[in-house]
Amino acid sequence: MILDSHQHFWNYEPVKHAWIDDTMNVIRQDFMPEMLKKEFDEYQIEGCIAVQADQNEAENEFLLNLAENNDFIKGIVGWVDLQSDSLEERLKYYDSQKKIKGFRHIVQAEKDPDFLLRKPFLAGISQLSNYNFTYDILVFPHQLGAVLEFVKKFPKQKFVIDHLAKPYIKDGFIEGWANQIKAIGACENVWCKLSGMITEADYKKWTYKDLDPYMNIVLEAFGPERILYGSDWPVCLVAGQYGEVLEVAKRFANSLSAQEQEQFWFKNAIEFYNLKQ
């Protein structure tokens, strides 16, 4: 059994999706469940976690509607204004929407490297555990210092690092990122998604050898019980096909025991995102 812990859907709009630059023009189109289902059928993927790509609550309703009509969408990571005075009211509402498992903010786009440590944001994060919501951390390596302080403030809150925190694979930089990732991995409330790697490497020339050192560090930092498989479809398509992303993960998983492979492929996602409900 395989669960894909990280993918997106959208109806492409040039202004709203301005982050899709000219180097990524292959994904300047709509990506909806029927397209992903073809991949899942081919590669025998059981289901997925749909993650927000737009920062408004209309995105949550969009994803909830897709999940209602597509059983393979097992959970949703949505968006909510964690600095809002009405946050508690919104969390109560989303607590009634059982497919909503947690939230994410696109912190990588924030100019303030210490955005995660702003008092209003911290106050919002402190409320998530009251509803058993998870939080996905989307950052660049230069923000990992703030991440370390951030996760230590909430030892009972479940966090997951998206895309290994986007290490500089293309440039071959690893040591600074590795030191920070290992420190964060020592916090037992933090998990990590093995996702988004090929788009941090050279789009046209990446090889498994380029990715292997980063995956090994994540395995060392988090252990097999706190890493999750994710494709980052359709963003991954700028650098390869779904099958290539899956093959990278399979080669990595070959070094794990049978029990550890089950954890990586689906059990960790079930546990982290509370998919047993």
Side-chain angles (χ1 to χ4, degrees), residues 11 15 24 41 58 65 68 82 86 96 99 126 139 150 154 171 191 206 210-211 213 225 237 247 251:
N11 287 309
V15 175
M24 306 170 76
D41 288 346
N65 181 62
E68 184 177 347
L82 290 164
S86 61
S96 70
K99 282 292 179 78
S126 71
V139 293
F150 174 67
F154 305 100
D171 296 314
W191 307 49
W206 67 267
D210 299 327
L211 313 179
E225 69 279 359
L237 300 179
E247 183 59 29
R251 286 187 63 178

Side-chain angles (χ1 to χ4, degrees), residues 69-98:
N69 293 291
N70 296 273
D71 290 342
F72 71 88
I73 303 174
K74 305 300 183 182
I76 293 167
V77 175
W79 182 89
V80 69
D81 185 354
L82 290 164
Q83 302 180 82
S84 171
D85 292 337
S86 61
L87 176 61
E88 184 174 2
E89 172 192 333
R90 302 312 300 149
L91 293 180
K92 286 181 179 178
Y93 166 71
Y94 288 118
D95 190 43
S96 70
Q97 307 296 316
K98 294 307 179 184

Side-chain angles (χ1 to χ4, degrees), residues 119-180:
K119 288 184 179 179
F121 194 80
L122 294 175
I125 290 290
S126 71
Q127 296 187 50
L128 295 183
S129 62
N130 296 336
Y131 301 91
N132 208 24
F133 285 132
T134 63
Y135 183 78
D136 274 53
I137 300 174
L138 178 64
V139 293
F140 288 128
H142 74 272
Q143 297 167 306
L144 286 175
V147 171
L148 180 58
E149 290 192 44
F150 174 67
V151 298
K152 285 186 173 182
K153 290 180 181 293
F154 305 100
K156 295 183 180 180
Q157 172 63 47
K158 290 163 70 174
F159 296 108
V160 64
I161 305 287
D162 289 348
H163 314 324
L164 293 70
K166 298 196 166 184
Y168 305 118
I169 299 173
K170 182 178 180 180
D171 296 314
F173 300 147
I174 192 168
E175 188 171 348
W177 165 85
N179 289 338
Q180 296 278 33

Side-chain angles (χ1 to χ4, degrees), residues 19-139:
W19 59 272
I20 304 177
D21 62 26
D22 289 345
T23 67
M24 306 170 76
N25 59 15
V26 68
I27 59 172
R28 284 176 169 167
Q29 58 175 300
D30 297 349
F31 287 94
M32 298 296 281
E34 57 270 20
M35 301 171 70
L36 184 59
K37 188 63 164 58
K38 291 179 181 178
E39 304 280 13
F40 281 8
D41 288 346
E42 179 174 356
Y43 296 108
Q44 297 180 307
I45 313 295
E46 182 75 16
C48 64
I49 301 293
V51 180
Q52 61 84 222
D54 201 15
Q55 299 202 132
N56 55 58
E57 290 196 40
E59 176 84 343
N60 302 336
E61 300 305 319
F62 168 67
L63 294 175
L64 282 167
N65 181 62
L66 295 182
E68 184 177 347
N69 293 291
N70 296 273
D71 290 342
F72 71 88
I73 303 174
K74 305 300 183 182
I76 293 167
V77 175
W79 182 89
V80 69
D81 185 354
L82 290 164
Q83 302 180 82
S84 171
D85 292 337
S86 61
L87 176 61
E88 184 174 2
E89 172 192 333
R90 302 312 300 149
L91 293 180
K92 286 181 179 178
Y93 166 71
Y94 288 118
D95 190 43
S96 70
Q97 307 296 316
K98 294 307 179 184
K99 282 292 179 78
I100 298 282
K101 301 300 180 180
F103 298 96
R104 184 178 82 156
H105 185 84
I106 303 177
V107 176
Q108 69 176 31
E110 296 290 344
K111 294 181 180 179
D112 180 0
D114 295 325
F115 175 86
L116 287 170
L117 301 176
R118 290 179 180 176
K119 288 184 179 179
F121 194 80
L122 294 175
I125 290 290
S126 71
Q127 296 187 50
L128 295 183
S129 62
N130 296 336
Y131 301 91
N132 208 24
F133 285 132
T134 63
Y135 183 78
D136 274 53
I137 300 174
L138 178 64
V139 293

Side-chain angles (χ1 to χ4, degrees), residues 158-264:
K158 290 163 70 174
F159 296 108
V160 64
I161 305 287
D162 289 348
H163 314 324
L164 293 70
K166 298 196 166 184
Y168 305 118
I169 299 173
K170 182 178 180 180
D171 296 314
F173 300 147
I174 192 168
E175 188 171 348
W177 165 85
N179 289 338
Q180 296 278 33
I181 279 291
K182 289 176 184 178
I184 292 167
C187 302
E188 294 183 358
N189 59 319
V190 188
W191 307 49
C192 188
K193 292 183 182 179
L194 212 69
S195 61
M197 291 177 291
I198 66 173
T199 48
E200 300 308 316
D202 187 304
Y203 289 176
K204 297 181 179 179
K205 299 179 181 179
W206 67 267
T207 67
Y208 184 84
K209 186 178 179 180
D210 299 327
L211 313 179
D212 189 49
Y214 300 88
M215 293 189 288
N216 287 335
I217 286 169
V218 164
L219 179 60
E220 177 187 348
F222 295 90
E225 69 279 359
R226 285 187 287 131
I227 51 174
L228 293 71
Y229 163 68
S231 69
D232 198 25
W233 182 95
V235 181
C236 66
L237 300 179
V238 305
Q241 299 301 311
Y242 192 100
E244 293 178 287
V245 174
L246 185 62
E247 183 59 29
V248 167
K250 286 182 176 180
R251 286 187 63 178
F252 165 79
N254 284 339
S255 67
L256 305 177
S257 70
Q259 178 182 342
E260 291 168 345
Q261 288 186 34
E262 288 186 348
Q263 290 176 303
F264 171 64

